[in-house]
């Protein structure tokens, strides 16, 4: 806060496609699609018009009890059609942090209804990020995000991010009868963009299946196409998760919204009758946000942007991976999904480097410990990716 007060804010005035403009009229390539979310690109009047039409009819009411706006029902039905597990239920939230906390609470409540109330431990991974609510902060493997708060959630545990054996060892220590769920980002996002080792996702999925632990995929970043070529990593890798947490790409960030995909196994006790799940959000399933999401899904499908994300997966790797040869770069992580990280050799250079990038026409962001995040809109062309890579090289000097 002090640094921003001293240096002043970077004021974003407008956006179009893969570009944004500041309040002085300078144009920048948006290397991060806002905060991973502007999948269809900036300036989509179609989404704004859809929201405006909905707000003129009814902006929102409530989704508690038996209330539901028709637009929200239409979105739930559409999401159920693309759900990684057929027959899934959709629970709407206000964003990704809400989605993670929802899944954490539901996992515990599910086991309570199944007669196993001692299954309360939720497990995350080193480097992982799961939002900023209490459960997500406790689950995440980023210790600095927990500094100064004390113990947020005593039943949260952390295992190594890239080693299935570490999960098995935890199960042996704690006992499967005490563990409710394992939370897993298919690609670790804000923690630095770390790609899963070959076979890792299938391995931990099977471990959870073998020990009767709910498998929760956090696809707030990778969902709705950013995994490259598929709606979800769950689909691309055939993981059949018990729950999927989503947000960002659901509306491409035009309006805040999140959703949890809940497989039939987990949903069944709550639809059998006689069980209340006392959980929800004032703006969960907001009708205006639902209209934005429907318009966003229309664009993704009509313009075949899942295929464009797969193209970006290849082009980001092609244009950014050579930067690993630069002496100021220790590693480039790319080749899976429309994401990449350029890891600086000196992590202390990361925050100043963000401002250096702006001098070369790129709006960027630091992630993890000393990495530069790249997660552009699916509409970014290969020429624009090349332009972005050239700008990064100039900034490196």
């Amino acid at each position: 806060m002090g640094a921003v007060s001293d240096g002043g804010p970077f004021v974003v005035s407008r956006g179009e496609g893969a570009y944004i403009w500041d309040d002085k009229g300078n144009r920048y390539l948006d290397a991060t699609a806002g905060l991973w979310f502007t999948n269809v690109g900036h300036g989509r009047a179609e989404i704004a018009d859809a929201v405006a039409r909905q707000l003129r009819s009814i902006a929102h009411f409530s989704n508690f009890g038996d209330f539901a706006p028709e637009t929200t029902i239409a979105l739930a039905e559409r999401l159920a059609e693309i759900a990684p597990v057929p027959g899934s239920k959709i629970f709407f939230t206000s964003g990704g942090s809400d989605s993670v906390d929802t899944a954490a609470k539901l996992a515990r409540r599910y086991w309570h209804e199944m007669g196993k109330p001692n299954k309360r431990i939720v497990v995350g991974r080193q480097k992982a990020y799961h939002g900023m609510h209490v459960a997500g902060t406790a689950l995440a493997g980023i210790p600095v995000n927990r500094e100064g708060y004390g113990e947020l959630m005593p039943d949260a545990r952390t295992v190594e991010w890239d080693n299935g054996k570490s999960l098995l060892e935890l199960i042996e220590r704690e006992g499967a009868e005490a563990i409710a769920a394992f939370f897993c980002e298919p690609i670790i996002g804000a923690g630095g963009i770390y790609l899963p080792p070959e076979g890792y996702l299938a391995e931990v999925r099977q471990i959870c299946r073998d020990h009767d632990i709910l498998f929760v995929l956090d696809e707030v970043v990778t969902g709705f196409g950013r995994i490259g070529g598929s709606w979800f990593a769950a689909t691309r890798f055939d993981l059949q998760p018990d729950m999927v947490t989503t947000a960002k790409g659901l509306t491409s960030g035009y309006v805040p919204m999140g959703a949890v995909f809940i497989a039939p196994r987990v949903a069944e006790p709550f639809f059998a009758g006689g069980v209340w799940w006392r959980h929800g959000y004032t703006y969960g399933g907001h009708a205006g946000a639902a209209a934005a999401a429907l318009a966003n899904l229309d664009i993704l499908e009509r313009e075949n942007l899942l295929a464009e994300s797969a193209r970006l997966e290849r082009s980001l790797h092609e244009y950014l991976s050579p930067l690993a040869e630069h002496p100021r770069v220790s590693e480039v992580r790319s080749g899976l999904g429309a994401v990449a990280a350029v890891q600086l050799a000196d992590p202390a250079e990361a925050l100043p480097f963000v401002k250096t990038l702006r001098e070369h026409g790129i709006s960027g962001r630091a992630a993890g410990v000393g990495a530069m995040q790249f997660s552009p809109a699916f509409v970014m062309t290969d020429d624009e990716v090349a332009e972005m890579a050239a700008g990064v090289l100039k900034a490196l000097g």
Side-chain angles (χ1 to χ4, degrees), residues 3-78:
V4 174
S5 297
D6 291 341
F10 175 66
V11 180
V12 180
S13 294
R14 68 185 183 94
E16 182 177 345
Y19 291 92
I20 59 171
W21 283 258
D22 66 16
D23 57 343
K24 299 177 180 62
N26 299 310
R27 189 182 78 164
Y28 306 84
L29 265 173
D30 179 6
T32 60
L35 195 61
W36 317 85
F37 53 66
T38 315
N39 293 355
V40 300
H42 299 285
R44 294 284 194 162
E46 178 180 338
I47 299 178
D49 292 343
V51 174
R53 285 194 301 272
Q54 180 63 48
L55 298 189
R56 291 188 186 100
S57 175
I58 185 166
H60 186 47
F61 188 75
S62 167
N63 286 320
F64 291 124
D66 60 354
F67 292 109
E70 58 187 355
T71 310
T72 306
I73 293 173
L75 177 60
E77 291 173 346
R78 188 160 178 182

Side-chain angles (χ1 to χ4, degrees), residues 280-301:
Y281 302 96
T282 299
Y283 301 119
H286 190 282
L294 287 167
N296 177 62
L297 294 172
D298 284 344
I299 293 170
L300 286 165
E301 291 179 344

Side-chain angles (χ1 to χ4, degrees), residues 161-237:
W161 75 273
D162 57 350
N163 183 357
K165 183 180 178 182
S166 179
L167 177 58
L168 279 173
E169 291 171 348
L170 176 74
I171 294 170
E172 290 172 2
R173 288 196 306 272
E174 301 283 355
E177 67 279 1
I179 301 175
F182 174 60
F183 283 69
C184 179
E185 287 179 285
I187 296 174
I188 287 175
I193 309 179
Y194 289 89
L195 312 183
E198 184 72 27
Y200 173 82
L201 296 175
E203 179 186 7
V204 291
R205 177 63 186 106
Q206 190 59 50
I207 290 171
C208 289
R209 192 177 281 123
D210 291 344
H211 293 85
D212 205 17
I213 294 167
L214 296 183
F215 183 67
V216 183
L217 271 188
D218 184 345
E219 297 222 41
V220 171
V221 167
T222 54
F224 300 103
R226 188 159 294 282
I227 190 59
S230 300
W231 284 110
F232 304 100
T235 309
R236 179 166 177 172
F237 296 105

